[in-house]
Amino acid sequence: MAKQIVNLGTSANKGDGDPLRTAFDKVNDNFDELYLDLKQVKSAQTGGGTLIVDTIGSVHATDSTLLVDGNNGKITGPLASTTWDVVDQNIDITTTNTGVNANITLQAQGLVTLQESAAEDYVQVSSNGVVLYSNSDIALRTQGQDIHIGYDTQSGNVEMGHNSSFVNINGTLNVNAFGKLIPPSYTSAGRAGFTTEGFMVVNTTLGHLEAYVNGAFRKMTLTDVGELTDTGGVIPADLSDLTDTTSLIKTDVSQLTDNANAIPASIGDLLAGGNLSDVLTRSATGYAWTAPAYFGGDFDDLGITPTTLAGYGITDAVALTGLSVTTASAGSAALSYNDSTGAFTFTPPDLSSYLTSVAGTVTASLVPDTNEAYDLGSNALKFKDLYLSGSSITLGGATITATGATVTLPANSTIGGTDTISTFDSAFSSLTGKPTTIAGYGITDAFDGNYGSLSGTPSTFAPASHTQAFSTITSTPTTIAGYGITDAFDGAFGSLSGTPTTLAGYGITDALTSGGNITLGGDLDVGGNSIVSASNGPINIAPNGTGDIVMSGQVKFDEGSAEKFTTTNGATGVTALDCSTGHVHYLTAPAGDITANFTNLDLTAEYGTNVTIIIDQGNTQYEVTAVQIGGAAQTIVWQGNSAPTGTANGVDSFSFTILNDGGTYVVLGQMVAFGGV
C-alpha cells in the first residue's frame, strides 16, 4: 500500500486534522507493512526465502571481478548460471522450468536484431514486420507443433508461437527466385485424411495439383478457355466480354429489344401479362395482349357503319349537290361553312410579302410570320426532292455542312441512337479492336500449323542410308512429343515411383526436426536497438500500431522502473487526461476543483490499473472531486469513506485504482498530502 500520512490539521489545536483513532490507525497500518517487509528480509537472510531488492551501482564478485558496471550500465560477464550459458562467446537464452510458463522477453526502442558477424545472417523485428534472412537454410521448429507467424487481431502484435497446428501468413508471402513452395504428395485415397479448407496437395494418382475448397478436393488446372482470361481481358471468357461501352456487340437477344419492345427478349415475354380470354396482337410498335372488342353501347365500338346519309335514315341533311365553295380575297387564312346554304367560304392566306408570283417562282426569302408554327410538307403530303446549293443545313442546334462532294456531320453524331460516327481514313492501320487470330478475320482456309495438314509429304526417305549429321538438320523439334516419343519422363514429381516417405530417405540432414530450439547466430534488432551481451543503450519493445505488450509470466525489474508523466497547467472543471501518454499526471497552478476525465484508458475486462494525479497547490487548495472514463461518470470509493481535502501551498497526490469488472468500472481513491501550511 502507499504510505499513509496523518493529517495534523492547518494549525495546533484547530481541530481540522485526523481524529486520534484515525491517526493511530494509519500509524498501525504503516508499521504493519514495515514489519512485514522486515520479516521477509530477515527470512531471506536466514535462508527462509528469496530477497528481491534493487541494486544501484557496480557489482563485484568475491574475486573482485567486475560483474555489473554501474557507471556504464552494462553487464560485463562472463556469466554462468542455470539461465545463462556463455560458451565461446555465444549466448544461449533458455528456460529450464517446465512446471510454469517461463517467458523470454526482449525489449528495445525500435529494431530488435539478432545478427551474426556476417551481415547476411540476421533476424530483425521492427514496426514493418519480422525479417528472417540467412545465406543458408532457415529452420523454424517448436516442441511438437508447427510455427505460427502472423498478426494477432486481439493483441495487435506480430507473434511467433506454437498455439496452432497451422502456419498462418497474414499479408503477402514472398518467395524469391531461390525458393519454392512444395505441397505434400498423396494418392487419391491417402488425401482423404486432410479435409481442411484450403489444404493443397499433389495427387499422385491423377497427376495434378488439388486444393480442398468448399467441402471437396478441386483440380487446380485449366478446364476451359474462360480460365485463360487475364486482368486486362485480352483473352475473353465468353462472347459477352467482347461487348464495348457502346454495346456494338450484344451479349444476348434481350439487348436487341427497343423501348417499345418490338423485339421481345424471350418467348416468356410473349406469354406473360394479359388477362383471361385476351388475344395476342402485333402492331408497328410490338406485341401486346389486348381484350376482344365487345360492343359497349358507344358508337365508336361499332364495327361496320353505313357510308351514306340514307344508310343512317337521315332526310334533313344538305345534299351533295347543294354544296358550294366560294373563295374570298386573300387575308387571314380561314375556312367557314354556312349550314343553311351548304356554302364553304375559303379565305386564302396573304402571301404577298413572300411570293411575288403565283406561278411558283420565289424571288425572296420564305420566312413564316411566327416562329416554329408551320411545317414544310407533312407525312401525308410530302415534297419530292430538295435541292440546295448552300453549304449548310441547321437542324435544331446541329449544323450539317458540305464541302464539295463531302458532307460533314457534327461531332458525336449517332446513327440509330447508339453508334457513334467517327472519321475513318480507310487505312487498315487506323482500325481499332483488330482481331488477333486468323479465325477473328473470318479466314477459314489458312494453314493450321499441323504437320498432318500438309499435302504431298514424302512417305520414304531417300537415299536409304546417309551420312548427314544431325546437327546440320534444320527445323528439328524442340520437344519430346515433336519426335513422337510417348514414354519419356514428364518431369513431374508425382510421376516418380518409389519416392521416400522420410527426410532421411531423401538424404536431408539439415532439416528442422521435432523438439529442437530456434538458434539465432546474430543479434536480435528491434527498431535500431540491439539486444546483445555488450549492449548499454535503452531497449524498447513497442507494438505495431495500437496493440498492447502482453507479459504472461512474472515480471522482475533489477534496477527499478520509470514511467513518463504529463504536465497540465491551470486545470479546472472537466480535464481530459490522456492515459496513452502515461498514467502519472502533474497538474500545476490549478484554477478550480478537477473532474478527471481519463481518456484512452484502454482497460480490458478483468484487468486493473493505477492512475496518479499530483496537484501542485497554490494559496487555495483544490481537489479531484469526480472521475470520468472516456466521458462517462464513475463512482469514487474513497479511502476512509470520505472525500479528502487538499493542502494549501502543498503538493497532494491523488491515487486511483481502477478495475474493469466485466465492463463495469470500480474506482478506489485516496489522497496523500505533502508539505503545505
Side-chain angles (χ1 to χ4, degrees), residues 590 615-623 646-652 654:
I615 301 179
D616 191 355
Q617 305 278 13
N619 294 330
T620 302
Q621 71 273 15
Y622 299 105
E623 296 83 28
T647 307
N649 297 314
V651 178
D652 295 321
F654 292 82

Side-chain angles (χ1 to χ4, degrees), residues 5 97-98 102 119 165 223 238-239 272 298 316 319 327 397 421 460 511 529 657:
I5 305 299
N97 191 347
T98 59
S165 59
T223 58
D238 52 53
L239 184 62
D298 192 283
D316 56 351
T327 302
I421 298 177
T460 61
N529 295 294
T657 299

